[in-house]
Amino acid sequence: MLPVAARGRTGARTWAHMIPAAPLSLQPPRWQQALREAVRDPRELLAMLGLQQAAMAVSPEAAAQFPLKVPRGFVARMRPGDPHDPLLRQVLPLDDEMRPMPGFTSDAVGDAAARAGHGVLHKYAGRALLVSTGSCAIHCRYCFRRHFPYAEETAAAGGWQDAVAAVRADESITEVILSGGDPLSLATAKLSELTTQLAALPHLRRLRIHTRLPVVLPARVDDGLVGWLQGLPWPSAVVLHANHANEFDAGVDEALGRLRAAGASLLNQAVLLRGVNDSTGALAALCERGFMAGVLPYYLHQLDRVAGAAHFEVTDARARRLHGELVERLPGYLVPRLVREVAGDASKRPLSQG
Ligand SMILES: *Cc1c(COP(=O)(O)O)cnc(C)c1O
Ligand code: SF4
């Protein structure tokens, strides 16, 4: 794949003629174009997969609450004709979402109580998490974001000044975590604006990025992003989010290779999801496939109890059993930690024994 900047807008011939080319800086990067072209209509998605005739309980109400959004390259990794495809299930708005379920609420992880500044969450020792943006490249039906699709409280607003001030004021913070939404849905220049300011703070030792973009839209890992990562003054970790081995393909492998070459350590967090990855086989395949792309498993999350996501839940007893089977089946370094986020806890809560 050739980066856009290397190609010129309409090919080399343009330059040979007298037609003035647009300045390079005015051309949107190719990944932003792909983002704009994401599929947003459930009927179109089903037609692409040859599923128009399948009796799928697609819900216009659920789609109105949290719209469908999925990049075309991710759709290409779904199995045509399979209504139970594990990638499709993660994005398709279903009737199940609209059935209220006791215990499933809209602020399931207690974030409202942990706000330390504009878009800054300081829940755990030494780590400040920046809610960088409300935007994502894909809309995952199980995500708490379904209740804050256009979150206003984002750290990037106003040149990051409140977030930087909050980190500057607390010398116990040694790691900044860019989260969201998806921080890589911001332009690289915006990310750079933040890290340039953070570079002046001597107490920072690491930068971490929580992102699903390199998996769902690998074109995001372009020369600009790689150059930014390479130039950071701290070691960096990129924590990816893939839930199923089928989310990886050659394009994802290439993007992840570039992130590693830029010096980032790659980890993956997955959510345990009924009907997506709730079998030992699917989980083992995910961990092994990730490793082929240079990614180590980090967390396997029990679902946040978010209203609309109850149909994805796996009981704790079953989650522990699946995790126990993974421990027996895989090398220790390919087994993620099974955890649940509990409001008020000082860390993610481990669910597995030992
Ligand atoms: C999950 C989370 C972190 C990171 O926790 P780790 O266990 O270090 O991955 C930090 N801050 C908040 C608010 C979080 O939710
Ligand atoms: S924050 Fe992550 S899990 Fe939630 S919708 Fe965005 S990409 Fe999906």
Side-chain angles (χ1 to χ4, degrees):
M1 284 179 248
L2 209 59
V4 162
R7 270 194 271 133
R9 196 170 185 187
T10 48
R13 265 187 311 153
T14 307
W15 297 94
H17 290 73
M18 296 305 290
I19 305 161
L24 288 177
S25 61
L26 293 184
Q27 298 173 16
R30 198 165 53 89
W31 66 270
Q32 286 182 350
Q33 186 65 30
L35 206 50
R36 271 196 295 275
E37 289 164 0
V39 179
R40 292 162 194 275
D41 178 353
R43 281 164 311 180
E44 184 188 359
L45 176 59
L46 294 179
M48 289 168 81
L49 296 168
L51 286 170
Q52 305 94 312
Q53 312 304 333
M56 313 260 318
V58 173
S59 165
E61 292 79 23
Q65 184 189 83
F66 187 44
L68 172 92
K69 183 176 184 187
V70 54
R72 284 168 197 274
F74 194 78
V75 177
R77 290 171 242 163
M78 297 176 185
R79 289 186 296 252
D82 181 359
H84 305 295
D85 179 84
L87 278 55
L88 177 63
R89 267 189 76 86
Q90 294 181 52
V91 300
L92 192 66
L94 294 179
D95 282 341
D96 287 339
E97 297 175 27
M98 301 316 288
R99 227 164 277 141
M101 190 66 83
F104 285 74
T105 65
S106 60
D107 185 20
V109 292
D111 276 354
R115 225 148 250 159
H118 205 64
V120 181
L121 300 179
H122 189 187
K123 276 211 282 205
Y124 301 153
R127 287 149 288 173
L129 182 148
L130 306 196
V131 181
S132 318
T133 167
S135 175
C136 290
I138 188 167
H139 286 174
C140 312
R141 307 311 300 178
Y142 50 85
C143 181
F144 70 93
R145 277 204 62 247
R146 59 181 301 127
H147 301 288
F148 313 98
Y150 309 107
E152 274 165 28
E153 193 145 320
T154 59
W160 307 92
Q161 33 178 328
D162 290 358
V164 172
V167 178
R168 183 186 294 121
D170 186 343
E171 293 192 358
S172 76
I173 296 171
T174 52
E175 176 170 334
V176 165
I177 303 172
L178 303 186
S179 186
D182 198 312
L184 295 192
S185 61
L186 294 171
T188 305
K190 194 79 195 161
L191 299 171
S192 180
E193 191 181 288
L194 170 69
T195 51
T196 302
Q197 296 177 69
L198 292 180
L201 309 183
H203 51 282
L204 282 192
R205 295 190 210 132
R206 290 178 297 280
L207 184 79
R208 191 195 317 184
I209 303 163
H210 283 183
T211 177
R212 193 148 161 63
L213 254 156
V215 172
V216 302
L217 189 67
R220 175 64 187 95
V221 186
D222 60 7
D223 291 345
L225 187 75
V226 168
W228 169 71
L229 258 183
Q230 242 157 6
L232 293 176
W234 324 274
S236 63
V238 175
V239 181
L240 301 155
H241 174 182
N243 299 312
H244 195 279
N246 292 1
E247 291 175 46
F248 291 82
D249 68 2
V252 174
D253 288 344
E254 198 216 330
L256 300 183
R258 303 185 86 204
L259 292 175
R260 282 204 298 153
S265 298
L266 303 187
L267 300 166
N268 184 57
Q269 43 187 351
V271 182
L272 184 57
L273 298 166
R274 175 140 57 100
V276 173
N277 59 11
D278 60 331
S279 70
T280 320
L283 292 169
L286 169 65
C287 297
E288 295 192 293
R289 183 62 184 83
F291 186 69
M292 284 174 62
V295 185
L296 287 173
Y298 183 39
Y299 283 142
L300 177 61
H301 291 272
Q302 264 296 45
L303 188 79
D304 293 330
R305 304 195 90 198
V306 168
H311 59 294
F312 284 116
E313 194 173 53
V314 175
T315 63
D316 282 357
R318 208 163 148 251
R320 286 198 181 93
R321 197 161 63 241
L322 288 169
H323 189 262
E325 286 165 13
L326 270 192
V327 169
E328 288 173 4
R329 186 154 160 174
L330 292 175
Y333 64 91
L334 289 187
V335 181
R337 270 159 274 184
L338 177 66
V339 292
R340 172 188 290 291
E341 184 151 352
V342 179
D345 274 18
S347 72
K348 312 283 185 232
R349 184 179 292 183
L351 284 186
S352 46
Q353 305 77 1

